[in-house]
Every structure is written in C-alpha cells, then in structure tokens.
Amino acid sequence: MQRRKFLKSSTIATAGLISSPILASCKEENKSIISENNREQPIVIATWNVENATSKAWEVLKSGGSSLDAVEQGVMIEEADVKNQSVGKGGRPDRDGNVTLDACIMDSEGNCGAVLCIENIVHPISVARKVMEDTPHVMLAGKGAEQFAYEKGFKKENLLTEKSKQEWLEWKKTAQYKPIVNIENHDTIGMLAIDNNGNISGACTTSGMAYKIAGRVGDSPIIGAGLFVDNEVGGATATGVGEEVVRTVGSFLIVELMRQGKSPQEACEEGVRRIIKKNKNKLNFQIGFIAINKKGETGGYCIQPGFSYRTYSEAGHVNNIPESYIKE
Ligand code: SD4
C-alpha cells in the first residue's frame, strides 16, 4: 500500500489484540472481502493519535455497522474526553471564556450536516447528524443550533472544565492570540471510514482555535474545507489552522485530486503544497491532511513535524507518522 512507503515510524498500539484468536479469525473472514473486491475494508482513519476513538469506530465497523455510525461514535469518544482540550467538553474557550464547538458529518450519499459555534452541548457531531437527517438544511449556527439540539433531546452541559478555565485565565494576562504549532489545538478529530459494504463516511469535530474571537469558525464544520466525502472516489479531512484550509477548500481539493488519479498520499501532499504557495513567507503554522480512497488506501501529509494519524483495519491499529513539508 502507498501509505506504508511514507511511514517514518509506526506503532502497533494493540499488539496483543492483533494476535488474539478472535481477531485472527476476523482477519481470515476479511481476507475474502479484500480479495473479492480488491479493497481494504472495513477501515477507519483519523487525525492525531486518537486510539480510543479509532478503536470505537473499528468496533462498530467489525460488528457490521455503517461507516456513518462508525465515524459518529468514534469522534464522540474525543468529544466526551475532558482530557482532549481541542474537542467537545474540556475544549479550550474563545477569548471571552466561552467554549464554542464546530462539527460536520457527511455520508456516502453525499448528505451532510453541520453545526457552527454551538455552546453547552457535549456532542456537536450528533447534532450535525440530526441537522443532516431531520432538517432540509446543511448548517445551523450559534443559538439556533443550540435550540435545535434541545428540541432533539440533547442536554445542556457546562463544557468549560476547571483546567481549561485556569489556562484561559492565565492566557488573559497577556491575551495574545498566538496559536502554538501542534500544542494549542492538538487532537481536533477528523475521521473517515469504509464499512463492509464499501461505503465511505466522514466526521470532523473541534472546539476550534483556542482563544479565538467570539463567533470565529474555522474549517472543521465546513463541508469541502475540513471534510469531504465522495463515495465514488474517497474522502479527506483536515486539522490545523482552519483559515488556511478554507482558503484552498482543502478536503474537496484532495478528493478531486484523487478523482483525477492521484493516490491519497499524493493528493494530501498537493493539498499541503497549495497552502504553502499562498504562505511563502510564513510557514509557522500546522496543517495536517489525511485521505482515503475507495480501495481503502490511505495517506497523510503535514507542514510541520509532530502530526500523526491513526488507521485501524485488519492490517492493524497503527499510529502513522507522515512526512512533513518542513523537516525536523
Ligand atoms: C480550526 N481546524 O478550528 C481547527 C483546529 C484544528 O487541530 O484542527 N486543530 O481551525
């Protein structure tokens, strides 16, 4: 597979599990899927080293669940994890101390839903799915999105943890908006999956850039920028400074490059190069793209070292460290 060429290093996170009899027999079963269709499926891929999230998605896929359920349930793990300060509950707030969340989801039929700048809801990805499935709209923002969530039965919850609050109070002493590469926003999660039926879905969820201006929305909930899926071709998703991804409509671009014949790896590299061309004199920010094609081949590329992405398939549960444009 193309991806493997680009691995600088990788770890089998669940080494014990891979050799277990249960998975070994699954492997046998899936071998036939791979050879019949010439595809690696099921498979899930996600930005950053989100082992618990990819494990959850894999569990859904292995039990015959849809890729849509897999990506939703996978990213929900990070949304609920207060230790992840870039997503959901525990996310870092905007400069006024309010945690505002962005998320979008897209299925294999090209349906999509998104919520922007939503507050007090732990699982924006599930609200985005409701927007997709229960409304004639694609995006709901702010108070309207929150109101819609309550109508759908979501509970109001304070998302600002003591840790994120203390850090914000500390930040306020200087109040300088200076995103730190790979640190301030680590773990925004973009996830793509192919299920047993060969269908691709994707999800992306974030609390956005820490200490942003109130109302700021990045790439993550924007279909085409933070996430794009075309079931005929593949999917792509992004992490990093969202403004730069929006400027090049990064995820859509990568899927279109795959449509024209590029591998997921080549497409991610070209996606990053487009951003670099627009930022010749200031490459002090991070962008990471990941992509998957219809065959289940994956790729990833980033501007700065420090980005990684997880894959989980019969081949193993792997934390992939891709090449970066700027070398260490
Ligand atoms: C944003 N793209 O709001 C998100 C942040 C992110 O890893 O991905 N951080 O711009």
Side-chain angles (χ1 to χ4, degrees):
M1 274 174 40
Q2 190 77 16
R3 162 168 64 83
R4 300 218 168 89
K5 277 203 308 211
F6 289 87
L7 297 187
K8 272 202 321 208
S9 66
S10 66
T11 54
I12 304 292
T14 48
L17 189 63
I18 295 301
S19 57
S20 78
I22 300 171
L23 208 63
S25 69
C26 294
K27 194 168 184 169
E28 286 307 308
E29 269 170 36
N30 260 41
K31 261 187 184 156
S32 62
I33 295 175
I34 294 168
S35 55
E36 272 168 29
N37 301 334
N38 192 25
R39 283 179 188 157
E40 179 145 13
Q41 68 184 53
I43 179 169
V44 57
I45 175 170
T47 53
W48 303 108
N49 188 10
V50 286
E51 186 180 352
N52 295 336
T54 40
S55 293
K56 180 70 200 178
W58 178 251
E59 193 186 302
V60 174
L61 293 168
K62 281 308 291 177
S63 61
S66 68
S67 54
L68 187 64
D69 287 339
V71 295
E72 180 189 10
Q73 290 180 41
V75 304
M76 282 172 74
I77 297 287
E78 295 301 314
E79 290 180 334
D81 182 357
V82 292
K83 291 197 291 310
N84 183 339
Q85 290 179 281
S86 304
V87 181
K89 192 174 168 100
R92 293 190 178 87
D94 65 17
R95 69 180 186 185
D96 300 336
N98 297 312
V99 181
T100 68
L101 306 179
D102 303 324
C104 73
I105 193 159
M106 191 161 190
D107 74 11
S108 56
E109 303 286 309
N111 300 310
C112 47
V115 289
L116 291 67
C117 216
I118 190 171
E119 292 179 53
N120 302 313
I121 302 289
V122 178
H123 292 300
I125 198 67
S126 302
V127 186
R129 184 167 175 177
K130 291 277 181 214
V131 173
M132 174 174 86
E133 291 178 341
D134 296 359
T135 81
H137 308 307
V138 166
M139 295 186 192
L140 292 180
K143 287 287 165 220
E146 192 177 339
Q147 186 54 41
F148 171 76
Y150 298 141
E151 282 164 22
K152 291 290 168 185
F154 289 83
K155 298 234 157 32
K156 182 169 185 163
E157 201 165 321
N158 176 23
L159 304 179
L160 186 63
T161 54
E162 200 45 42
K163 183 172 195 296
S164 289
K165 185 177 171 185
Q166 288 310 323
E167 286 180 10
W168 166 67
L169 289 171
E170 196 53 38
W171 171 83
K172 271 198 355 151
K173 291 179 184 162
T174 53
Q176 302 232 23
Y177 181 72
K178 281 191 187 155
I180 302 165
V181 169
N182 293 331
I183 294 180
E184 276 209 330
N185 303 284
H186 192 275
D187 282 357
T188 285
I189 179 165
M191 182 180 277
L192 306 158
I194 308 182
D195 61 28
N196 274 330
N197 295 321
N199 288 324
I200 311 171
S201 301
C204 189
T205 180
T206 188
S207 52
M209 301 302 283
Y211 320 132
K212 60 198 173 185
I213 296 173
R216 178 266 185 192
V217 172
D219 60 321
S220 303
I222 308 296
I223 295 295
L227 174 75
F228 194 71
V229 169
D230 184 321
N231 203 42
E232 286 178 10
V233 179
T237 186
T239 182
V241 177
E243 283 76 1
E244 301 302 336
V245 179
V246 171
R247 288 171 74 198
T248 55
V249 200
S251 293
F252 180 74
L253 170 68
I254 288 170
V255 172
E256 286 308 298
L257 290 168
M258 290 194 291
R259 190 193 305 278
Q260 290 162 24
K262 288 208 187 306
S263 69
Q265 182 63 40
E266 290 163 347
C268 288
E269 290 178 18
E270 179 59 22
V272 165
R273 277 198 294 270
R274 293 282 176 100
I275 290 174
I276 285 164
K277 266 189 218 150
K278 289 193 160 54
N279 287 282
K280 291 231 172 62
N281 301 318
K282 61 162 183 73
L283 279 180
N284 57 347
F285 60 92
Q286 176 66 299
I287 299 290
F289 283 118
I290 60 169
I292 192 165
N293 67 12
K294 195 69 182 164
K295 287 189 222 159
E297 295 168 333
T298 56
Y301 197 61
C302 49
I303 297 180
Q304 315 274 350
F307 172 62
S308 69
Y309 61 97
R310 277 245 160 215
T311 46
Y312 205 156
S313 70
E314 292 299 345
H317 192 190
V318 180
N319 184 35
N320 306 278
I321 301 176
E323 297 237 331
S324 49
Y325 179 81
I326 293 172
K327 307 294 173 209
E328 235 145 339

